[in-house]
Amino acid sequence: MSTPKLTVVIGASENPQRYSFLAVNRLRANGHPVVAIGKRAGQIGDTPITKEHPPLQNVDTVTLYLNPTLQQEYYDYILGLHPKRIIFNPGTENTELIAKAGENGIEAKEACTLVMLSTGQY
């Protein structure tokens, strides 16, 4: 298994039909600590979903499950976390945030967190 990577899931949902729900569960199953942020507070297994933007240190990855128009309110928060990378899952691709990430030395990856986990690329 790879080294645990602190991951912030933005767009987390308690709905088991949502990819963000699956991602939180798979990340945890693979030993990665997760901070789940959503529009509504809730719970995914033993991981709470917060509506807040908690200050965090040593964030490896931010993985997005929000469409680009909803991402704008998170720009400053995401960039302020100084993650190593941002994963833009299918449907979340955002040229503006990708450019801002690059300007801040953050890798922007258009990929699927679930596929990356299942193929050992996470």
Side-chain angles (χ1 to χ4, degrees), residues 39-85:
K39 286 288 181 195
R40 290 183 214 86
Q43 196 83 17
I44 300 173
D46 63 355
T47 304
I49 301 171
T50 182
K51 299 187 313 183
E52 308 303 317
H53 299 174
L56 301 166
Q57 299 292 319
N58 303 313
V59 173
D60 183 86
T61 302
V62 171
T63 185
L64 296 172
Y65 290 94
L66 281 180
N67 78 51
T69 55
L70 296 175
Q71 292 171 20
Q72 290 178 350
E73 69 180 88
Y74 291 94
Y75 284 5
D76 290 340
Y77 177 66
I78 292 168
L79 297 173
L81 292 173
H82 308 290
K84 292 185 179 131
R85 67 180 169 184

Side-chain angles (χ1 to χ4, degrees), residues 5-12 19-24 27 33-37 59-66 71 74 78 81 83 85-90 92 97 107 109-117 122:
K5 295 174 174 72
L6 176 56
T7 302
V8 178
V9 177
I10 297 180
Y19 288 113
S20 63
F21 179 94
L22 297 172
V24 169
L27 285 160
V34 173
V35 175
I37 298 174
V59 173
D60 183 86
T61 302
V62 171
T63 185
L64 296 172
Y65 290 94
L66 281 180
Q71 292 171 20
Y74 291 94
I78 292 168
L81 292 173
R85 67 180 169 184
I86 301 170
I87 298 174
F88 292 84
N89 288 280
T92 68
L97 185 52
E107 177 189 6
K109 198 165 184 71
E110 293 183 13
C112 175
T113 299
L114 295 169
V115 171
M116 290 175 70
L117 284 165
Y122 194 84

Side-chain angles (χ1 to χ4, degrees), residues 11 13-23:
S13 169
E14 285 186 303
N15 181 343
Q17 303 292 312
R18 296 273 184 198
Y19 288 113
S20 63
F21 179 94
L22 297 172

